[in-house]
Amino acid sequence: MSLLDDVAERDGWRCWVCDEAVDPDESVNDPRGPSVDSRTADRKAKVAERLAHRGCNTRKGAVKVVIPWPDHLYVVEPAPLITVAGRLERKGGREMVGRCPTERDAQEAADWLVDRFSRLVPGLPVTADIEPGGGQFLITLATRRR
């Protein structure tokens, strides 16, 4: 098995940048084709490579990657997820990621975050907590102890 196959299998054939499926049969030269994104610049990263579409991997070299929050989630002051992921991966601990007006909105966002982080930072186990206060609900992400 090749490095690409190993990384792709671990990442479930999903691009870490856009979170869309990567077609294993697409040419590696096609923008939607599979590629391995090496994280050599981040020596403290627990996972050295991640799967990305060729186009997403190439584009991130010229433009800072932004992981968008889905439009259907109602989150006030959403945190930049790449920054949160980097800090949690390096230091662990807890990070506040946003506020929601209802507990239902907060739970939906928390569920999405745990799912998204499982692909954004494979191998970094995170949990989401919801804390009420001041008529709103605060969402925090925390690393689980291994």
Side-chain angles (χ1 to χ4, degrees), residues 34-134:
S35 71
V36 174
D37 176 19
S38 296
R39 300 175 67 191
T40 55
D42 188 354
R43 286 176 229 169
K44 294 182 180 180
K46 292 176 179 27
V47 176
E49 299 93 10
R50 296 180 287 193
L51 182 69
H53 290 110
R54 169 75 51 210
C56 291
N57 199 357
T58 301
R59 187 173 42 257
K60 77 172 191 60
V63 178
K64 186 175 181 178
V65 174
V66 174
I67 303 299
W69 287 73
D71 292 335
H72 72 277
L73 295 178
Y74 189 20
V75 180
V76 179
E77 297 178 357
L81 298 179
I82 290 289
T83 304
V84 170
R87 280 194 297 255
L88 286 175
E89 191 173 27
R90 282 190 309 277
K91 300 177 183 179
R94 292 175 42 140
E95 287 274 333
M96 187 200 82
V97 293
R99 297 179 289 124
C100 295
T102 69
E103 188 171 11
R104 182 176 172 203
D105 290 330
Q107 188 61 59
E108 189 176 353
D111 293 343
W112 177 80
L113 284 161
V114 170
D115 178 61
R116 184 64 176 97
F117 267 68
S118 72
R119 292 180 302 281
L120 182 59
V121 191
L124 181 68
V126 298
T127 58
D129 294 313
I130 300 167
E131 300 172 16

Side-chain angles (χ1 to χ4, degrees), residues 16-42:
W16 80 268
V17 177
C18 69
D19 201 36
E20 293 181 12
V22 176
D23 184 351
D25 297 323
E26 191 67 63
S27 168
V28 295
N29 296 319
D30 187 278
R32 300 292 295 169
S35 71
V36 174
D37 176 19
S38 296
R39 300 175 67 191
T40 55
D42 188 354

